[in-house]
């Protein structure tokens, strides 16, 4: 008589799949390049720059996440980004200096920092790796840093083909 084949993945009630994509914050992401407000794309003239900020329609960024950047090699004084952010704040959910990936990383870091992880205590956790939304690598690292002290084991991928990352001794 042949032994019964047991699906250890399906029968392991301590196995939890953690999908960072489920925590993806809703809202438009906008990359705002200030180069168009610079003289010849390189020189910030304070009076002209302030006029651009004052006359810009900031309501188009309502409830959006905005990344401020300058795609030229211009030297931008620190106050310039602060002035733009100050004008955008009443409309946006968040403003950062950097790239769209910077926004995603900061958003996920906030989410992970505030995450109640008590239900993951002494569990086998698979961190789902394939995402349809832009989940930055930094988010996975922040998640592992948060879960590793309490998890029995951490894996990456899918239950059928996971890569072991950590196992408590």
């Amino acid at each position: 008589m042949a032994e019964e084949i047991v699906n250890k993945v399906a029968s392991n009630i301590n196995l939890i799949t953690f999908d960072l994509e489920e925590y993806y914050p809703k809202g438009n992401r906008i990359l705002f390049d200030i180069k168009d407000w610079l003289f010849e794309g390189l020189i910030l003239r304070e009076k002209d720059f302030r006029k651009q900020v004052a006359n810009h329609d900031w309501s188009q960024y309502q409830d959006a996440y905005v990344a401020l950047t300058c795609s030229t090699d211009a030297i931008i004084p620190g106050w310039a980004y602060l002035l733009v952010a100050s004008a955008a704040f009443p409309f946006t959910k968040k403003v950062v200096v950097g790239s769209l990936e910077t926004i995603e990383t900061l958003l996920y870091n906030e989410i992970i920092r505030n995450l109640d992880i008590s239900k993951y205590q002494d569990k086998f956790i698979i961190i789902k790796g394939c995402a349809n939304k832009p989940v930055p690598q930094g988010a996975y690292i922040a998640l592992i840093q948060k879960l590793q002290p309490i998890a029995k084991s951490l894996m990456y991928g899918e239950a059928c083909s996971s890569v072991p990352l950590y196992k408590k001794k």
Side-chain angles (χ1 to χ4, degrees):
M1 182 167 127
E3 285 187 42
E4 181 182 345
I5 298 173
V6 177
N7 183 339
K8 291 182 181 180
V9 172
S11 65
N12 190 342
I13 58 173
N14 287 328
L15 183 64
I16 298 176
T17 298
F18 193 109
D19 187 356
L20 276 169
E21 191 174 72
E22 292 175 4
Y23 295 89
Y24 186 79
K26 290 181 170 61
N28 289 333
R29 274 72 166 162
I30 298 168
L31 186 64
F32 187 93
D33 193 345
I34 65 169
K35 76 169 170 55
D36 297 330
W37 290 359
L38 306 178
F39 177 69
E40 295 183 0
L42 293 171
I43 300 168
L44 189 146
R45 292 181 171 167
E46 183 177 351
K47 185 177 179 182
D48 295 339
F49 190 80
R50 286 183 178 276
K51 187 176 178 181
Q52 290 280 10
V53 172
N55 293 333
H56 190 70
D57 177 16
W58 295 104
S59 66
Q60 64 185 306
Y61 307 104
Q62 187 68 46
D63 297 326
Y65 299 100
V66 177
L68 303 176
T69 191
C70 183
S71 61
T72 65
D73 288 332
I75 297 172
I76 307 298
W79 63 262
Y81 289 116
L82 296 176
L83 184 66
V84 173
S86 174
F89 281 148
F91 303 96
T92 62
K93 288 184 178 179
K94 186 176 255 339
V95 177
V96 302
V97 175
S99 65
L100 294 176
E101 185 173 349
T102 304
I103 288 176
E104 302 302 346
T105 300
L106 289 172
L107 291 174
Y108 271 109
N109 282 344
E110 286 176 11
I111 290 164
I112 292 166
R113 184 174 41 255
N114 297 318
L115 196 62
D116 176 14
I117 58 169
S118 58
K119 67 181 178 182
Y120 301 104
Q121 183 75 43
D122 295 323
K123 303 289 186 199
F124 296 91
I125 304 167
I126 295 179
I127 299 169
K128 187 174 178 199
C130 298
N132 295 318
K133 295 178 179 148
V135 179
Q137 284 297 315
Y140 291 103
I141 292 171
L143 181 62
I144 287 175
Q145 188 174 6
K146 179 106 176 183
L147 292 175
Q148 187 165 318
I150 66 157
K152 233 179 208 171
S153 100
L154 292 171
M155 295 164 276
Y156 178 82
E158 299 291 333
C160 62
S161 62
S162 60
V163 176
L165 302 172
Y166 165 79
K167 187 168 187 169
K168 190 180 275 184
K169 295 181 179 175

